[in-house]
């Protein structure tokens, strides 16, 4: 069995928006209350609370006069919130995430339905059928008071619906992430990765150029679009208007949504660019090699923090990872300390220093003139091939239980290349 998710746009009525707002509030309050219970229990006893122990508080809270409004929320939504909190704790203790934090009303709101959500033909409801002219193709029927929500389902929903997460963005738009369980598995990795005619690409991520790709024959550069810089003037203007509004007023809430829409537009164009570029690279290659960058440490440089945050390196590698896995291909992440820029791709001579302002250099050993980024991508590609040849294609792509802290599950990682290991380089 394999899982796949589809995110669709929802168009709730005014009445349904009020019901969803109640559900968002109940879920958010229960998350904060349960998190506070876990913290207090640990401080008193040194132990946490299990999922069943937390769910046992819900019937008691619904009977109390101060919190009887919790009974207006669908019961499985609150139980799903408990499950998400327990999962957040598990991810924290296993080193995959930060400690769970309290939720705020001003941020993105979400609830989860673990079952009983169905796709409904809009022709069965006269009121919904009149909306087909607006591009509403189908409906999602939710259990409880929410009922049937109009939706723009742009991709077929196949298999069995496992969970549906309903979310509202700060700009006021509603979405549903539908997790489906499909028959069959993804193609085995070693069948495609071990093909002799498979193309291998090494990618050096940067700021001047977003990606420098070397496939063994040529080096291609993909520009950094600088999405935030294009909307910076508009964003400043709207933020200044927001600052002049009185706190708690309706005009301030409207101005806040305008600012949120600009941030949402920047996020959308960034994801669109990264999706298209990652799809192009995955279609053209069987093996892709990237560096495991320490983005969190790099943003501490206040001169480059905004540019690094805007470029979206981590999101791009995530997109590459799941697209490659879906097609049975391989992603290799080499160590961040691998000297890709200091190493000559022709003779493997390593220089001592390579400042950021140096964009071209000449190897003092063989005299080859290098473009800094093009040389780095060639070295990254060669190092990825070396790692794969040493590890073998049978188990390298599975990744096992290897997972970097606070990051994505790694497909294949290896320590940086030592000087005695240069002989393992494979000619492209």
């Amino acid at each position: 069995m394999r899982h796949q998710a589809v995110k669709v746009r929802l168009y709730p009525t005014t009445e349904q928006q009020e019901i969803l707002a109640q559900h968002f509030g109940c879920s958010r309050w229960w998350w904060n209350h349960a998190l506070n219970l876990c913290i207090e229990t640990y401080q008193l006893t040194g132990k946490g609370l299990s999922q069943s122990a937390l769910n046992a508080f819900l019937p008691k809270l619904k009977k109390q006069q101060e919190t009887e409004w919790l009974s207006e929320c669908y019961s499985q939504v609150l139980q799903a919130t408990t499950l998400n909190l327990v999962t957040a704790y598990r991810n924290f203790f296993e080193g995959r995430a930060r400690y769970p934090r309290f939720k705020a009303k001003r941020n993105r709101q979400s609830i989860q339905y673990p079952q009983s959500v169905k796709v409904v033909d809009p022709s069965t409801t006269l009121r919904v059928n009149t909306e087909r002219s607006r591009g509403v193709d189908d409906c999602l029927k939710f259990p409880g008071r929410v009922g049937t929500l109009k939706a723009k389902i742009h991709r077929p929903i196949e298999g069995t619906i496992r969970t549906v997460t309903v979310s509202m963005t700060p700009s006021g738009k509603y979405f549903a992430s539908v997790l489906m369980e499909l028959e069959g598995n993804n193609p085995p990795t070693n069948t495609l990765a071990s093909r002799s005619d498979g193309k291998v690409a090494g990618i050096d991520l940067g700021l001047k150029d977003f990606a420098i790709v070397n496939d063994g024959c040529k080096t291609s550069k993909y520009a950094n679009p600088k999405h935030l810089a294009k909307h910076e003037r508009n964003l400043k203007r709207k933020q200044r208007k927001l600052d002049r509004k009185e706190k708690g007023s309706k005009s301030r809430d409207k101005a806040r949504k305008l600012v949120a829409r600009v941030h949402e537009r920047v996020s959308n164009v960034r994801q669109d660019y990264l999706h298209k570029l990652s799809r192009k690279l995955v279609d053209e290659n069987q093996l892709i090699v990237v560096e495991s960058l320490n983005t969190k440490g790099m943003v501490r440089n206040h001169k480059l923090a905004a540019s690094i945050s805007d470029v979206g390196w981590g999101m791009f590698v995530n997109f590459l990872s799941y697209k490659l896995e879906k097609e049975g291909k391989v992603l290799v992440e080499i160590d961040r300390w691998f000297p890709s820029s200091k190493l000559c791709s022709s003779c493997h001579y390593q220089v001592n220093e390579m400042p950021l302002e140096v964009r071209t250099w000449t190897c003092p050993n063989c005299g080859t003139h290098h473009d800094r980024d093009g040389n780095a991508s060639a070295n990254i590609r060669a190092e990825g091939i070396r790692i794969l040849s040493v590890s073998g294609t049978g188990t390298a792509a599975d990744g096992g239980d290897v997972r970097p802290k606070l990051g994505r599950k790694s497909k294949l990682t290896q320590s940086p290349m030592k000087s005695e290991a240069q002989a393992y380089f494979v000619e492209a």
Side-chain angles (χ1 to χ4, degrees):
M1 305 296 290
R2 56 191 176 93
H3 294 86
Q4 183 177 345
V6 175
K7 188 175 183 179
V8 300
R9 178 79 181 271
L10 297 178
Y11 299 89
T13 62
T14 304
E15 180 182 358
Q16 290 172 332
Q17 290 180 15
E18 294 177 356
I19 297 174
L20 287 175
Q22 293 177 355
H23 287 13
F24 290 145
C26 292
S27 176
R28 183 178 62 251
W29 183 91
W30 170 237
W31 170 282
N32 293 338
H33 184 73
L35 178 57
N36 186 60
L37 284 174
C38 292
I39 295 174
E40 292 180 347
T41 303
Y42 180 78
Q43 291 175 347
L44 292 174
T45 65
K47 298 181 180 180
L49 293 174
S50 63
Q51 180 180 352
S52 58
L54 289 172
N55 284 332
F57 285 97
L58 287 173
K60 301 176 184 178
L61 291 172
K62 292 179 181 179
K63 294 179 181 179
Q64 296 179 5
Q65 185 176 0
E66 297 83 1
T67 55
E68 60 181 1
W69 39 267
L70 281 175
S71 59
E72 298 177 1
C73 182
Y74 186 58
S75 60
Q76 291 192 2
V77 168
L78 299 178
Q79 294 173 9
T81 303
T82 308
L83 176 61
N84 292 336
L85 178 60
V86 173
T87 304
Y89 265 108
R90 185 184 304 113
N91 291 334
F92 166 72
F93 287 120
E94 294 179 3
R96 293 192 296 268
R98 293 182 292 180
Y99 191 84
R101 292 175 291 176
F102 293 97
K103 294 187 177 181
K105 186 178 180 180
R106 64 180 180 272
N107 297 331
R108 174 182 174 272
Q109 305 296 307
S110 65
I111 55 176
Q112 190 176 84
Y113 289 86
Q115 60 182 1
S116 303
V117 180
K118 301 178 181 178
V119 179
V120 181
D121 188 354
S123 61
T124 58
T125 307
L126 181 62
R127 182 182 56 135
V128 175
N129 195 33
T130 59
E131 299 290 339
R132 291 186 68 86
S133 59
R134 298 185 185 180
V136 179
D137 295 336
D138 285 295
C139 300
L140 289 176
K141 186 177 181 180
F142 293 86
R145 298 169 54 207
V146 177
T148 303
L149 288 177
K150 293 173 284 187
K152 176 63 178 178
I153 302 179
H154 59 287
R155 293 184 180 181
I157 296 180
E158 304 170 339
T160 305
I161 297 179
R162 304 298 299 176
T163 61
V164 177
T165 302
V166 180
S167 60
M168 184 186 71
T169 62
S171 63
K173 296 179 181 179
Y174 294 83
F175 295 91
S177 297
V178 183
L179 179 64
M180 304 169 292
E181 188 176 68
L182 306 175
E183 296 290 339
N185 298 316
N186 293 326
T189 308
N190 55 354
T191 57
L192 291 177
S194 59
R195 287 172 50 180
S196 59
D197 60 341
K199 292 185 64 176
V200 181
I203 302 178
D204 179 46
L205 299 174
L207 293 178
K208 181 182 178 182
D209 295 298
F210 172 73
I212 300 88
V213 182
N214 183 287
D215 61 359
C217 299
K218 67 180 186 300
T219 300
S220 304
K221 294 187 177 183
Y222 297 91
N224 180 8
K226 299 182 180 180
H227 307 289
L228 186 60
K230 295 178 182 178
H231 296 81
E232 190 173 10
R233 184 180 178 185
N234 184 26
L235 184 60
K236 285 183 178 180
R237 184 171 65 250
K238 287 182 168 56
Q239 284 179 332
R240 287 169 182 166
K241 291 182 179 180
L242 174 62
D243 292 338
R244 291 194 291 266
K245 303 298 180 182
E246 183 181 355
K247 291 186 178 181
S249 63
K250 291 185 178 179
S251 60
R252 183 178 179 85
D253 186 59
K254 291 181 181 178
R256 180 192 59 79
K257 289 185 178 180
L258 291 177
V259 174
R261 287 175 61 182
V262 179
H263 284 290
E264 187 177 286
R265 190 177 300 116
V266 174
S267 177
N268 289 339
V269 295
R270 181 188 297 116
Q271 290 190 46
D272 180 72
Y273 178 78
L274 298 181
H275 271 300
K276 289 178 179 177
L277 179 57
S278 60
R279 171 48 57 193
K280 179 179 184 297
L281 295 175
V282 170
D283 289 343
E284 293 176 352
N285 300 280
Q286 303 290 335
L287 170 67
I288 294 180
V289 190
V290 296
E291 284 183 300
S292 178
L293 298 175
N294 181 21
T295 308
K296 185 177 180 180
M298 297 171 70
V299 296
R300 294 174 183 170
N301 183 345
H302 66 279
K303 295 182 179 179
L304 300 176
S307 300
I308 293 174
S309 300
D310 177 48
V311 75
W313 289 332
M315 185 183 299
F316 177 67
V317 178
N318 279 334
F319 291 169
L320 285 175
S321 177
Y322 86 82
K323 287 182 172 69
L324 289 167
E325 182 180 5
K326 187 177 180 180
E327 298 188 10
K329 300 180 181 180
V330 180
L331 174 68
V332 177
E333 291 183 84
I334 67 174
D335 193 275
R336 68 187 64 165
W337 302 112
F338 174 70
S340 58
S341 299
K342 300 179 181 180
L343 200 66
C344 174
S345 58
S346 299
C347 66
H348 306 149
Y349 178 83
Q350 182 176 337
V351 298
N352 295 327
E353 298 291 337
M354 185 64 64
L356 285 175
E357 59 269 16
V358 177
R359 309 314 303 175
T360 60
W361 62 285
T362 302
C363 177
N365 184 46
C366 65
T368 306
H369 187 72
H370 294 293
D371 173 79
R372 178 195 181 103
D373 298 328
N375 176 68
S377 62
N379 287 327
I380 291 172
R381 177 180 182 273
E383 174 69 356
I385 296 175
R386 183 192 70 85
I387 293 173
L388 200 64
S389 63
V390 172
S391 301
T393 58
T395 59
D398 300 334
D401 295 329
V402 178
R403 187 164 188 164
K405 289 189 175 182
L406 302 179
R408 165 192 64 261
K409 185 174 182 181
S410 176
K411 297 302 169 191
L412 179 62
T413 57
Q414 188 76 8
S415 59
M417 187 192 69
K418 310 298 182 186
S419 57
E420 64 267 20
Q422 294 181 358
Y424 286 101
F425 267 86
V426 180
E427 294 297 333

